[in-house]
Amino acid sequence: MRRDSRLSRMLHVLIHMDRHSKRMTSETIAQMLGTNAVVVRRTMAGLKKQGYVRSENGHGGGWELARDLAGISLLDVYLAIGAPSLFAIGPSSENPACLVEQAVDTALDDTMRNAERLLRARFAEVTIADLASDFDQRYAALQSSGEICAVKA
Amino acid sequence: MRRDSRLSRMLHVLIHMDRHSKRMTSETIAQMLGTNAVVVRRTMAGLKKQGYVRSENGHGGGWELARDLAGISLLDVYLAIGAPSLFAIGPSSENPACLVEQAVDTALDDTMRNAERLLRARFAEVTIADLASDFDQRYAALQSSGEICAVKA
DNA sequence: TTATCTGTAACATATAAAGTAACGAAACCC
DNA sequence: GGGTTTCGTTACTTTATATGTTACAGATAA
């Protein structure tokens, strides 16, 4: 399978929603992400459940932020999309009978757990507003006035 | 795809090879790992190329250690099997044109790079001999005299 | 009522590790 | 030498899972 890009995509979307006055439809967001509207709804469902975004049906409907970006951390988003597995490596089996394998897997597991703790701690430190201001700096640096992801910022 | 278990498997094998006086055939190792002899040869090829193990053809042939386990770190093994990607998450595209996406991916990438550095540093600290002594403790604690992975330790 | 939306279910695709079959080459035994 | 064992390698198939797609029901506004 490909690398899981849901976290990256949701952060991307949230920032655009913040800079976008009107509601954005799944279709608009999908084009922005280079994907499909169903994929967008599927992934955004978790953010909605956690109250980070709202969605409205019908004419003029779509998605909008339900909270300030300064109040949402990367960890919040990561958890909202279901806290998918961070690592591509792991033990060879769940419950090995072999004591050697148990020792190896325990050691690896400890190391991976530590790494996961650090990653989560780091995610918790950064708000989406922080990322947005990173974008502002890039934008100012380039002094560009063109299109940004097919959606004006 | 499944979680990559090559590192776990190779560590497992190396410890067994250390406790096993005779050479072990790919088939024997495969049974120990619950897999196939070709998978074993394929994965062990990297360890052989780095000089951690040797293999001999024909009658009485098979695999044997070429270096003391105290001289091989987890990082050595990880690198030997091709330093596969550690993370299951990543950016949505390689070269995003969108500045928002660039900011998001850069921030995530920094975080992941830090995590990778920490993981590699930790892997470098631990030798296979360290893992083997973990096993010894488990073994002593259980006072078991039975089979261990179909291969007596 | 009709055109837009979201929400879901159901199914198809892509990717890479893992699994499998086949065969050649090397080393050993008789 | 001839047969057997074992590695080395190629060329597949399988598997798991995020992603992509189609279809359709339900909700909302003009």
Side-chain angles (χ1 to χ4, degrees), chain A residues 17-58:
Chain A
M17 285 173 66
D18 185 52
R19 306 306 170 93
H20 201 70
S21 51
K22 287 177 293 191
R23 279 198 276 253
M24 299 175 75
T25 68
S26 303
E27 186 56 42
T28 304
I29 295 173
Q31 284 170 18
M32 195 176 78
L33 297 181
T35 181
N36 186 288
V38 176
V39 174
V40 172
R41 291 186 203 117
R42 189 189 287 158
T43 314
M44 303 270 288
L47 301 188
K48 179 177 181 177
K49 185 173 291 182
Q50 295 303 314
Y52 303 138
V53 298
R54 268 187 300 266
S55 64
E56 298 291 342
N57 282 5

Side-chain angles (χ1 to χ4, degrees), chain B residues 30-83:
Chain B
Q31 284 171 14
M32 195 175 76
L33 296 180
T35 180
N36 186 288
V38 176
V39 173
V40 172
R41 291 187 201 117
R42 188 189 287 156
T43 314
M44 302 270 286
L47 300 189
K48 180 178 180 176
K49 185 174 289 181
Q50 294 303 315
Y52 303 140
V53 297
R54 270 189 299 267
S55 64
E56 298 291 343
N57 280 5
H59 268 291
W63 299 86
E64 63 186 348
L65 282 176
R67 190 188 295 191
D68 193 289
L69 291 190
I72 311 175
S73 69
L74 302 206
L75 181 62
D76 291 330
V77 176
Y78 169 72
L79 295 176
I81 61 176

Side-chain angles (χ1 to χ4, degrees), chain A residues 86-89 107-119, chain B residues 7 73-76 78 84-88 111-126:
Chain A
L86 291 173
F87 301 108
I89 71 176
L108 284 179
D109 199 51
D110 284 353
T111 305
M112 304 310 273
R113 277 184 206 279
N114 270 324
E116 176 152 353
R117 258 195 295 276
L118 282 161
L119 273 172
Chain B
L7 177 59
S73 69
L74 302 206
L75 181 62
D76 291 330
Y78 169 72
S85 171
L86 291 173
F87 300 108
T111 306
M112 304 309 273
R113 277 184 206 278
N114 272 322
E116 176 151 355
R117 259 195 295 276
L118 282 161
L119 274 172
R120 287 195 181 214
R122 179 62 185 154
F123 283 168
E125 285 173 357
V126 183

Side-chain angles (χ1 to χ4, degrees), chain A residues 63-83:
Chain A
W63 299 85
E64 63 186 349
L65 281 177
R67 190 188 296 191
D68 193 289
L69 291 190
I72 310 175
S73 68
L74 302 205
L75 182 63
D76 291 330
V77 177
Y78 169 71
L79 295 176
I81 61 177

Side-chain angles (χ1 to χ4, degrees), chain B residues 112-147:
Chain B
M112 304 309 273
R113 277 184 206 278
N114 272 322
E116 176 151 355
R117 259 195 295 276
L118 282 161
L119 274 172
R120 287 195 181 214
R122 179 62 185 154
F123 283 168
E125 285 173 357
V126 183
T127 69
I128 323 289
D130 293 332
L131 297 185
S133 62
D134 276 7
F135 155 73
D136 289 333
Q137 291 179 354
R138 285 171 185 272
Y139 191 71
L142 284 191
Q143 298 189 325
S144 159
S145 61
E147 295 277 316

